[in-house]
Amino acid sequence: MPHVSVPVSPPDPLLTSPEVADAVAGGRPVVALESTLLAHGLPAPQNRAAAEDLEAAVRAHGAVPATVAVLDGVARVGLSAAELDRVCAGGLAKLSARDLGAAVGLRRDGATTVAATAALAHASGVRVFATGGLGGVHRGARESWDVSADLAALAATPVLVVCSGVKSILDVPATLEVLETESVPVLGYRTDAFPGFYRRDSGHPVPWRVDTPAQAAAVWLAHRALGGTSGAVLAQPVPADAELDVVLHDRLLDEGIALLHSRGVTGKDVTPVLLEHFHTGSGGASLRTNLALVLANAELAAQVAAALSS
């Protein structure tokens, strides 16, 4: 009898944890969390503690946390404790949305940026995503064309992103112009000023202000009901008591820009280099600011997700 080969089905490229899948199916609140912050943005062991704190903050406000990463070539939405250990242990590639197919197809491990996390969250039915800061238009982009994929992802992916604006290394007015061009709603949470990550005010206004999670949820639902296909930005300033001192911030920013230029750093390597410079140059103050703002964003995202579900 001739041998007949049996085709082997490839593994599912996207795996949603049972807890997250059950919550999405039941219409209960879920908040997506990125993994690049853990793998590339925070040093060990603070990154592992932050992973626990972020998920606990989401749960404390009645939502299910869904940390996102690619492990063993599978995009995962919702990680176990052991999988969080792997993410925080280092050695993961940094994955934007364009890198997901390569990482999955080549069976690699990777931490997801805002763009990649938003894509995978939407694919899993998760509507709300909490992060620290968005990527945007880099200074000098007229010559370098260095614009974060986060902006294109927001334009194409209907997920509400709770953040603390964009990092001050970026061209903030150009970033806001791109979001306007792409019809991405930008809301300030209890603020009329667009936040600047480490600083509460970037010097630029927000188009719209909301003062409660219910208002943010109402805007998002109306945006979707009226045919909006883009994501939206809900920008919350860093807590006032955690804001980085303005003199220290401006000095580190000037030094950071000079450092990037001297090393020729561009693209996805900019943020890790900048964060490390702020961390070492501030004696750890910027790390405390970073942790405070991302925790506050996780809490707010959970509250908005709960309002959407109700």
Side-chain angles (χ1 to χ4, degrees), residues 166-287:
V166 299
K167 297 175 183 66
S168 49
I169 185 67
L170 300 175
D171 187 330
V172 178
T175 299
L176 290 171
E177 284 292 340
V178 171
L179 290 171
E180 179 183 355
T181 299
E182 298 291 354
S183 298
V184 176
V186 177
L187 313 174
Y189 187 72
R190 298 180 179 173
T191 181
D192 296 308
F194 188 67
F197 195 67
Y198 293 125
R199 299 290 302 165
R200 291 175 59 83
D201 184 350
S202 70
H204 302 276
V206 288
W208 295 95
R209 172 178 175 144
V210 295
D211 289 290
T212 66
Q215 287 182 338
V219 171
W220 175 249
L221 291 173
H223 172 65
R224 296 290 288 144
L226 294 171
T229 57
S230 72
V233 175
L234 179 59
Q236 174 177 231
V238 59
D241 60 357
E243 185 178 26
L244 199 64
D245 174 76
V246 63
V247 174
L248 175 61
H249 170 273
D250 290 350
R251 175 175 66 79
L252 292 173
L253 177 59
D254 290 341
E255 292 173 355
I257 292 172
L259 180 66
L260 294 173
H261 288 165
S262 67
R263 293 185 182 177
V265 177
T266 59
K268 65 182 181 181
D269 296 323
V270 165
T271 298
V273 171
L274 179 68
L275 290 176
E276 176 60 24
H277 175 70
F278 266 77
H279 173 56
T280 56
S282 68
S286 68
L287 176 60

Side-chain angles (χ1 to χ4, degrees), residues 4-309:
V4 178
S5 62
V6 179
V8 178
S9 299
D12 191 337
L14 175 60
L15 179 64
T16 304
S17 75
E19 182 186 23
V20 172
D22 287 347
V24 170
R28 297 188 298 279
V30 181
V31 173
L33 301 167
E34 63 157 292
S35 50
T36 291
L37 171 72
L38 305 175
H40 302 283
L42 299 173
Q46 290 97 327
N47 58 352
R48 188 61 181 87
E52 292 284 350
D53 291 345
L54 288 169
E55 294 207 343
V58 170
R59 293 189 189 279
H61 291 276
V64 173
T67 304
V68 178
V70 175
L71 296 173
D72 302 317
V74 177
R76 300 171 189 269
V77 179
L79 302 182
S80 67
E83 289 165 343
L84 285 173
D85 288 342
R86 289 179 59 185
V87 168
C88 294
L92 275 69
K94 184 177 180 182
L95 306 179
S96 188
R98 72 167 189 173
D99 304 309
L100 290 173
V104 170
L106 298 174
R107 310 291 290 167
R108 303 292 172 79
D109 295 338
T112 53
T113 63
V114 168
T117 304
L120 295 175
H122 174 60
S124 299
V126 178
R127 296 182 287 179
V128 182
F129 164 31
T131 187
L134 291 178
V137 179
H138 287 251
R139 301 184 188 205
R142 184 171 302 197
E143 290 76 34
S144 68
W145 293 86
D146 196 350
V147 179
S148 171
D150 292 356
L151 301 183
L154 274 168
T157 312
V159 173
L160 176 62
V161 180
V162 182
C163 65
S164 292
V166 299
K167 297 175 183 66
S168 49
I169 185 67
L170 300 175
D171 187 330
V172 178
T175 299
L176 290 171
E177 284 292 340
V178 171
L179 290 171
E180 179 183 355
T181 299
E182 298 291 354
S183 298
V184 176
V186 177
L187 313 174
Y189 187 72
R190 298 180 179 173
T191 181
D192 296 308
F194 188 67
F197 195 67
Y198 293 125
R199 299 290 302 165
R200 291 175 59 83
D201 184 350
S202 70
H204 302 276
V206 288
W208 295 95
R209 172 178 175 144
V210 295
D211 289 290
T212 66
Q215 287 182 338
V219 171
W220 175 249
L221 291 173
H223 172 65
R224 296 290 288 144
L226 294 171
T229 57
S230 72
V233 175
L234 179 59
Q236 174 177 231
V238 59
D241 60 357
E243 185 178 26
L244 199 64
D245 174 76
V246 63
V247 174
L248 175 61
H249 170 273
D250 290 350
R251 175 175 66 79
L252 292 173
L253 177 59
D254 290 341
E255 292 173 355
I257 292 172
L259 180 66
L260 294 173
H261 288 165
S262 67
R263 293 185 182 177
V265 177
T266 59
K268 65 182 181 181
D269 296 323
V270 165
T271 298
V273 171
L274 179 68
L275 290 176
E276 176 60 24
H277 175 70
F278 266 77
H279 173 56
T280 56
S282 68
S286 68
L287 176 60
R288 292 188 289 275
T289 299
N290 198 345
L291 290 171
L293 67 85
V294 75
L295 277 171
N297 293 341
E299 292 173 349
L300 176 57
Q303 293 169 353
V304 174
L308 287 171
S309 295

